[in-house]
Amino acid sequence: MDLSYTDEEKAFRDEVRGFLAEKLPKEISDKIRAGRNIGKDGYEWWHATLNARGWLNFNWPKEFGGAEWNAIQRHIFEEECAAAYAPRIVPFGLSMLGPVLQKFGSKAQQDYFLPRILNGEHWWCQGYSEPGAGSDLASLKTRAVRDGDHYVVNGQKTWTTLAQYANWIFCLVRTDPEAKAQEGISFLLIDMNTPGIEVRPIVLLDGTPEVNEVFFDDVRVPVENLVGEENKGWTYAKYLLTHERTNIAGVGFSQAGLDMVKRIARIETANGRPLIENPHFAARLARVEIDLMAMATTNMRIISKAAAGQAPGVESSMLKVKGTIIRQEINDLARRAVGPYAMPFASEAVAGDNDPIGPDYAAPVAAQYFNNRKLSIFGGSNEIQRGIIAKVKMGG
């Protein structure tokens, strides 16, 4: 792979930087930099801003109105957005459900749901994990029983990110309890305003209700909201998970985090000298930077395969494992770099209700360290991903 940028790619980077300089308010980027919550309005504003520019659906093919960027363009855009501390793009509709509907959905589903993902009318969340089915997702228990032209859904989902904002949820449900675990699962699209749905927040270590429990009590879902064939949902779920795991790698977030660690290490001191000159700290910093460069190359290769119509395979598992290890190492380096300022942790500061303790760069360090312990667990734990890699690559 040629890692040098062409003149066209350099011009595209300049275009992205110009857009961010013009459209991204300082008050929003300052909140992101400080690790503060921008709320539903902030996410929706950024969604609409990117959609107006035609840059929201950059990973969609042109036949569905997408920009169909190549791997380098995607990498540049994500890197520049992270460097500018732009809000993240909420992935559930755009990067997860969208590709599933484009490949497996009916024409009616594509015509109805895809435009509403783009215009922000539908905010999606992901109904996969359950109290007894996380990495072992095929053991899920939520049931959907056919009743005329509806399915009746009963059960519980958990760790449902941003469900408090969502008005639609895509769910894996068991439609054939007698079939083998993976063969009795279907993929349903459910309106969150349907009677019988209850959302309960789960407050995390950083004091925010980022995830939720979602309960279904005799929820009636029209049959036309079934994606693909009944009992074939596991196929669609696996396709979606390859896209999710690629996104979890977070190359842009890692690069921005690494840049912040370098900034902190130039300011903080150890034995009277800048921390960045400490041999032990500098060695850890160099090691993670080398790993990040290698992962960025792998990420572009996998994105290129996806853009060519090939679903990412075991490579997405490799990227998920390495990407989460890198992000957690960067979080740990930041925590160590700020020293005692990482010890006090006030959730009110993350929520934006109080001033931070210590220098401004110390404010989000503890919250990010605690919250990102989840990275190696969700989307299929790293232990499970290593098992997948071993089975596929080594015939285990």
Side-chain angles (χ1 to χ4, degrees):
M1 172 179 270
D2 184 2
L3 295 180
S4 59
Y5 290 108
T6 66
D7 290 341
E8 290 80 6
E9 289 161 353
K10 292 175 182 176
F12 178 72
R13 185 183 292 277
D14 290 339
E15 184 181 3
V16 174
R17 287 178 176 172
F19 170 80
L20 292 168
E22 178 187 356
K23 297 295 185 181
L24 181 61
K26 186 176 183 297
E27 63 185 78
I28 295 291
S29 61
D30 284 349
K31 280 188 174 183
I32 301 295
R33 186 192 305 270
R36 293 183 171 180
N37 187 7
I38 63 170
K40 183 181 181 182
D41 289 345
Y43 288 120
E44 290 182 332
W45 169 82
W46 187 236
H47 184 107
T49 300
L50 290 176
N51 191 39
R53 181 64 177 80
W55 285 359
L56 181 66
N57 53 344
F58 58 80
N59 62 324
W60 288 13
K62 289 182 179 178
E63 66 180 292
F64 294 108
E68 205 173 75
W69 286 350
N70 61 37
I72 301 297
Q73 287 175 303
R74 297 186 199 186
H75 175 76
I76 289 172
F77 178 75
E78 291 171 355
E79 188 175 60
E80 291 300 325
C81 284
Y85 293 95
R88 66 169 177 150
I89 299 174
V90 179
F92 305 110
L94 282 163
S95 301
M96 297 185 193
L97 179 63
V100 169
L101 290 180
Q102 289 160 19
K103 188 171 181 67
F104 302 107
S106 67
K107 181 66 164 58
Q109 289 171 341
Q110 293 168 353
D111 290 345
Y112 181 77
F113 288 110
L114 294 179
R116 287 166 173 80
I117 290 174
L118 291 181
N119 67 23
E121 182 179 338
H122 289 173
W123 181 310
W124 287 88
C125 61
Q126 180 183 18
Y128 271 28
S129 293
E130 298 182 3
S135 294
D136 182 20
L137 188 58
S139 63
L140 65 89
K141 298 293 190 296
T142 297
R143 288 276 282 118
V145 178
R146 182 72 179 263
D147 181 24
D149 57 359
H150 285 77
Y151 288 100
V152 179
V153 179
N154 285 279
Q156 176 188 356
K157 299 295 179 178
T158 194
W159 309 121
T160 310
T161 302
L162 300 182
Q164 71 271 32
Y165 298 153
N167 52 13
W168 281 81
I169 182 172
F170 54 87
C171 274
L172 292 182
V173 296
R174 189 162 300 285
T175 42
D176 185 355
E178 304 303 321
K180 288 174 56 179
Q182 292 92 337
E183 296 176 3
I185 293 173
S186 296
F187 195 108
L188 285 182
L189 311 176
I190 303 177
D191 186 341
M192 293 282 280
N193 294 313
T194 308
I197 296 179
E198 180 185 1
V199 177
R200 298 180 191 171
I202 300 172
V203 178
L204 301 180
L205 278 172
D206 64 3
T208 62
E210 182 185 14
V211 295
N212 303 266
E213 297 175 288
V214 182
F215 295 87
F216 301 87
D217 184 11
D218 288 337
V219 175
R220 298 184 67 83
V221 181
V223 168
E224 57 262 31
N225 286 8
L226 172 72
V227 174
E229 299 178 48
E230 189 176 278
N231 299 324
K232 299 295 184 182
W234 190 248
T235 298
Y236 319 141
K238 289 193 297 181
Y239 182 81
L240 183 149
L241 283 170
T242 58
H243 289 272
E244 180 185 12
R245 289 167 186 157
T246 303
N247 290 329
I248 291 171
V251 175
F253 292 117
S254 290
Q255 186 61 60
L258 183 65
D259 292 343
M260 178 57 72
V261 171
K262 290 180 178 179
R263 176 194 167 204
I264 295 171
R266 292 187 183 101
I267 297 171
E268 296 294 328
T269 60
N271 300 318
R273 299 184 64 81
L275 183 61
I276 202 166
E277 296 178 10
N278 177 280
H280 177 67
F281 189 88
R284 284 188 64 179
L285 197 61
R287 189 179 305 115
V288 76
E289 185 165 17
I290 291 168
D291 285 346
L292 179 56
M293 292 172 65
M295 187 184 68
T297 303
T298 304
N299 188 56
M300 285 191 281
R301 187 171 67 247
I302 293 172
I303 291 173
S304 295
K305 289 178 64 177
Q310 305 175 47
V314 72
E315 295 88 353
S316 65
S317 294
M318 297 166 62
L319 200 62
K320 194 267 181 181
V321 171
K322 195 62 180 178
T324 56
I325 290 173
I326 289 171
R327 289 181 70 181
Q328 289 175 345
E329 172 69 0
I330 290 170
N331 292 150
D332 188 52
L333 285 171
R335 179 182 65 86
R336 292 175 181 274
V338 300
Y341 290 120
M343 294 176 64
F345 173 62
S347 60
E348 294 84 0
V350 177
D353 298 328
N354 281 350
D355 291 331
I357 300 169
D360 62 344
Y361 54 73
V365 167
Q368 289 171 352
Y369 176 81
F370 287 131
N371 189 279
N372 282 347
R373 305 319 295 170
K374 70 188 179 187
L375 295 177
S376 51
I377 301 172
F378 74 66
S381 72
N382 282 8
E383 290 76 15
I384 295 292
Q385 300 314 308
R386 291 186 178 100
I388 293 172
I389 294 166
K391 183 176 181 180
V392 174
K393 289 297 186 182
M394 294 182 282

